Amino acid sequence: MKPLKNFKLPSNKQGIVIDVLMIVINIFLFPVFAERIDGLFGGSFDNTQSAFITLGVLLGVLLFGRLGGLFLKRLPLQVRMRSTGGDFSAYFLVLSAPLMILSAIGAWVVIEQFAAAVGWLAADASGAPVESRAMTILLIFVVMFLTVSEIYLLFRLGKRLSSAESSRAAKGGLLYGGAAEFVADFGLFAYMSLWQVVYYGVAAWLLRTPGAPQGAGYYIFRVVIVALCFALFYLSPRAVFLTEDRKYLSTWIFIALVFVSSLLPHWLQNITGLFF
């Protein structure tokens, strides 16, 4: 295992830029819109149809942004890794697996709600779709297709350029340059942002002020659980960028700062009520 490099920033700084943007969002944007976020998730958990549809549609659209981003990311990534000697680890597939499952569930919800809204699927008195065998079979195939597609695109990221692709890259092909990678990174960042919204709601629930005084162990346990949620909802979708910058200590410092920034608004709310 290669040691982490010192405080030098990685040559490709897309991951660091995303970390900085997420720090700003955690501190300044999420607290301002906390009430709306809570309302969206509360409505979904209470089976409010409009909230369910909004949340599901967002997840569905950003899932396709994720798939498109993975597709466009490979060529410029491999061009750069060819010159820097970087490599791709299959461990990133393991990191991505939990969110693959959650994303597929989100796609299931979107399709069901849309089918009920247009009359393709019967709905109950509350407007919730009624399960049918045909729709369930269709949704199973859709979920399998989305999951297999993401696994394939993640594997494809590590595929070296062919001789024909190398030739096109040398000629400055559109898909090999900064414009294509910017579009890819935007789709990947949007996908990450949605899961940060989910994480913010989970962290707010885990870090709420207890009804009675608790010992230090209670708070340590809560922070550990929040850290695991952070790894799931932030580190997992960021894994694509870790292909290049994981060997730099500065990368992990910025990721740690993202985690701290995600805790700060909740601590301030508990202690002073600031931002709320």
Side-chain angles (χ1 to χ4, degrees):
M1 182 177 177
K2 296 181 180 180
L4 291 174
K5 298 181 181 179
N6 290 328
F7 293 96
K8 178 182 176 183
L9 291 174
S11 55
N12 177 39
K13 300 177 178 61
Q14 282 104 320
I16 299 295
V17 170
I18 285 176
D19 292 334
V20 172
L21 287 174
M22 203 56 69
I23 289 171
V24 173
I25 290 171
N26 282 338
I27 295 176
F28 297 106
L29 292 186
F30 280 158
V32 173
F33 295 103
E35 188 173 339
R36 293 185 181 182
I37 294 172
D38 290 343
L40 179 61
F41 282 99
S44 298
F45 294 139
D46 293 337
N47 201 27
T48 301
Q49 188 179 19
S50 60
F52 234 136
I53 292 175
T54 301
L55 191 61
V57 168
L58 277 173
L59 180 56
V61 170
L62 295 178
L63 174 60
F64 282 102
R66 159 82 165 178
L67 297 178
L70 290 175
F71 176 80
L72 290 173
K73 185 74 175 176
R74 173 183 167 261
L75 294 176
L77 173 66
Q78 285 298 329
V79 168
R80 195 164 49 250
M81 290 175 72
R82 182 181 56 181
S83 61
T84 60
D87 59 346
F88 181 84
S89 174
Y91 288 120
F92 297 128
L93 283 174
V94 177
L95 273 175
S96 300
L99 289 192
M100 284 185 201
I101 297 171
L102 292 176
S103 298
I105 292 172
W108 184 301
V109 171
V110 170
I111 296 171
E112 270 197 332
Q113 294 288 348
F114 177 79
V118 299
W120 295 345
L121 194 63
D124 60 20
S126 66
V130 177
E131 298 287 343
S132 75
R133 179 175 298 181
M135 181 58 69
T136 299
I137 292 173
L138 173 63
L139 289 172
I140 289 172
F141 278 107
V142 169
V143 166
M144 290 177 62
F145 171 77
L146 291 174
T147 304
V148 170
S149 297
E150 186 166 357
I151 292 172
Y152 166 74
L153 290 171
L154 284 167
F155 266 117
R156 180 176 173 272
L157 280 177
K159 182 182 177 183
R160 297 294 184 183
L161 296 178
S162 65
S163 57
E165 289 172 333
S166 296
S167 177
R168 287 193 288 271
K171 295 176 182 178
L174 180 63
L175 294 178
Y176 297 80
E181 188 164 24
F182 176 81
V183 174
D185 289 342
F186 180 81
L188 295 170
F189 173 70
Y191 178 81
M192 291 175 65
S193 298
L194 177 65
W195 287 117
Q196 279 300 103
V197 171
V198 176
Y199 165 73
Y200 185 88
V202 172
W205 179 75
L206 287 172
L207 297 174
R208 68 191 189 280
T209 304
Q214 302 289 335
Y218 171 87
Y219 296 100
I220 293 172
F221 175 75
R222 288 296 181 99
V223 171
V224 169
I225 296 300
V226 171
L228 292 175
C229 292
F230 176 80
L232 171 64
F233 292 121
Y234 186 75
L235 202 57
S236 174
R238 196 197 183 284
V240 173
F241 300 96
L242 289 174
T243 56
E244 294 183 271
D245 62 14
R246 69 185 186 276
K247 297 173 184 177
Y248 292 84
L249 181 59
S250 57
T251 295
W252 297 102
I253 291 174
F254 274 98
I255 289 175
L257 290 175
V258 175
F259 177 60
V260 172
S261 72
S262 73
L263 301 178
L264 186 60
H266 304 294
W267 284 340
L268 288 174
Q269 189 271 336
N270 290 340
I271 296 171
T272 68
L274 188 62
F275 291 131
F276 290 83

